[in-house]
Amino acid sequence: MRRLSFAGDDRLRVVEVAGAKWFDALSLWRPTDPDLVTTGAHEVACVLLGGTFDLVGGGTAWPARGARKDAFGGRPMAVFLPPAPPFRTSTGQGELLLVAARQPAAKDAPQGRDALAQKPLLPLAGSGKSFDPNSGEWKPAETFPTAPESLPPRRFDRIPVGDVVVERMFAPDYKAATLSVDEAVVPAGGALRLGDVPGRPMCDETLLFVRAPHGATVEHDGRSETIAGDGVVLLAFDGRDAVVRAGAGPCFVVVSSGGK
């Protein structure tokens, strides 16, 4: 278990995950209006912690996304960003969490129909759909592996784990190459053991973001880290023995799994 530190300013606070196999960085972004970040060579999971924004990922626009005041009230909304596209915000105020992860080693590039099935081509005007040569169907352009995608709350499974409800935003079978992502609010005095969360993938690394205004602890492998405010902890493997324990008030946690 390794505690990581934020650097930066109020607009963009960044945790560099040095020495990790998959994770590159975790960022807290409070955009100006308008504002922009780029994904570079990484895929990115974006979770709207609070506020409402007009968003643009690559060439795809999603107006008025996000509906909760803060991470403790209401259901999440997420965006998947493949490597390379710029990500823009405007007409809003709030906070976003960005988790950037490295890609698996490149395999032989797909050829023919397989290559065409990786990204949206031949868009059907006005439909938001593109042709998939493998299935012979017109599919939503966002569902192609190389396309940015907005995921509303109706796409997420809600998984009860004792007194905690886990929101599964990026399931292990989602198109992301590296990342799986859950979030939860742990009630005051309560605890969430990662090994009790069903359906988490076997993975190489687990990155925890914990927001604990009233304090919390992360316990793993005989060690304990106390968090007051915002904290980030890197765990080896799937962290199944890790426990997030809330203090005198609730704590919010995002569990990112890398290398599924």
Side-chain angles (χ1 to χ4, degrees), residues 2 4 15-21 23-25 102 205 234:
R2 178 155 56 100
L4 305 172
V15 174
E16 301 288 349
V17 192
K21 179 178 179 181
F23 293 108
D24 178 73
R102 300 176 180 88
E205 297 169 329
L234 179 67

Side-chain angles (χ1 to χ4, degrees), residues 212-230:
H214 305 279
T217 59
V218 177
E219 303 163 4
H220 179 59
D221 199 23
R223 294 179 54 199
S224 178
E225 288 284 351
T226 300
I227 294 173
D230 293 340

Side-chain angles (χ1 to χ4, degrees), residues 83-197:
F87 185 46
R88 297 180 175 87
T89 65
S90 63
T91 319
Q93 185 174 15
E95 185 178 25
L96 302 93
L97 174 74
L98 306 174
V99 180
R102 300 176 180 88
Q103 299 298 282
K107 299 179 181 179
D108 293 339
Q111 303 294 322
R113 295 168 68 94
D114 290 339
L116 294 176
Q118 293 295 305
K119 57 184 177 179
L121 298 172
L122 303 174
L124 188 62
S127 73
K129 295 185 177 182
S130 290
F131 185 70
D132 177 7
N134 282 346
S135 66
E137 299 176 348
W138 292 90
K139 296 168 49 179
E142 290 187 39
T143 63
F144 285 75
T146 60
E149 184 172 14
S150 165
L151 292 91
R154 67 177 181 273
R155 292 278 300 273
F156 307 146
D157 290 333
R158 290 170 60 83
I159 305 168
V161 184
D163 294 334
V164 179
V165 175
V166 173
E167 297 266 11
R168 177 142 294 156
M169 292 175 286
F170 290 7
D173 61 355
Y174 182 63
K175 68 182 184 180
T178 301
L179 289 166
S180 303
V181 183
D182 297 340
E183 77 159 42
V185 175
V186 182
L192 175 65
R193 182 179 179 273
L194 298 194
D196 293 339
V197 180

